[in-house]
Amino acid sequence: MPRNPRSAAGPRPRRQAKAPPPEPRLLLLNKPFDVLTQFADADGRATLKAFVAVPGVYPAGRLDRDSEGLLLLTNDGQLQARIADPKHKLPKTYWAQVEGTPTEEQLQRLRQGVELNDGPTLPAEARLLAEPPVLWERDPPVRFRKSVPTAWVELTIREGRNRQVRRMTAAVGLPTLRLVRVRIGPWTLDDLAPGQWREVPASL
């Protein structure tokens, strides 16, 4: 009977975790609208390269091209995984400008979790902002329908599905017109202007 070549070779060696860099770095960037969360693009679209000239750092998680706000970059693979991996359920807070005036029923549906085509979402924190947040002008501006009012909702989720916030608001009848991420775990956007970044201690 032929021997299993894998068993003959013995057990596979365990993959060792990559050692942290000698100088771990963590950058907080305000990603502008229409910028990809990568450093190169074969189609010539805008990337992080235009804003971050720090070698060896990579995005910890993603932010859609048509979304704005806080993006974390690090050279520490372990920290990157702890930030980006959904199993750690790191809270992420967004300000979403939505079409329509949210009702308490719609906000409660967001809080309880909504059914999407890839399954129900986890419960979220959702509240209506009494006043529009003070933000930079988006370039290009958001296209509004004059006959339809808009409002701002603050939404905090602990998952990382593709375009999740936009799909959640759409599922309850509140299409998102503009989306800005303002917090990831303990880190906040604060007064960073679009395209600006600052460095913080690389720890979680």
Side-chain angles (χ1 to χ4, degrees), residues 114-149:
V114 296
E115 187 71 37
L116 301 179
N117 59 7
D118 53 357
T121 66
L122 292 176
E125 298 169 32
R127 70 183 183 97
L128 178 65
L129 297 179
E131 298 288 339
V134 178
L135 293 171
W136 54 91
E137 293 293 327
R138 204 190 77 172
D139 183 21
V142 176
R143 290 185 180 180
F144 299 102
R145 289 194 292 170
K146 292 182 180 180
S147 59
V148 180

Side-chain angles (χ1 to χ4, degrees), residues 111-192:
R111 295 177 190 129
Q112 292 172 344
V114 296
E115 187 71 37
L116 301 179
N117 59 7
D118 53 357
T121 66
L122 292 176
E125 298 169 32
R127 70 183 183 97
L128 178 65
L129 297 179
E131 298 288 339
V134 178
L135 293 171
W136 54 91
E137 293 293 327
R138 204 190 77 172
D139 183 21
V142 176
R143 290 185 180 180
F144 299 102
R145 289 194 292 170
K146 292 182 180 180
S147 59
V148 180
T150 68
W152 284 87
V153 173
E154 182 180 272
L155 193 63
T156 299
I157 62 173
R158 288 170 172 79
E159 299 174 270
R161 303 192 204 180
N162 184 45
R163 302 183 72 79
Q164 181 174 339
V165 171
R166 294 178 185 275
R167 292 194 290 145
M168 288 177 70
T169 63
V172 301
L174 298 168
T176 290
L177 300 172
R178 186 180 182 187
L179 188 61
V180 181
R181 187 161 63 194
V182 294
R183 178 185 288 270
I184 301 174
W187 301 289
T188 56
L189 189 62
D190 292 335
D191 57 353
L192 283 175

Side-chain angles (χ1 to χ4, degrees), residues 49-105:
K49 185 178 181 181
F51 308 98
V52 180
V54 178
V57 298
Y58 301 93
R62 300 191 62 80
L63 187 60
D64 293 329
R65 180 184 176 189
D66 55 355
S67 298
E68 307 158 74
L70 185 59
L71 180 69
L72 305 181
L73 301 99
T74 181
N75 62 348
D76 186 336
Q78 294 182 27
L79 178 60
Q80 183 183 38
R82 290 174 64 193
I83 293 170
D85 195 325
K87 73 180 181 182
H88 296 295
K89 295 183 171 58
L90 204 63
K92 296 179 282 290
T93 299
Y94 298 81
W95 288 341
Q97 186 178 24
V98 298
E99 193 173 72
T101 302
T103 64
E104 184 57 29
E105 180 185 0

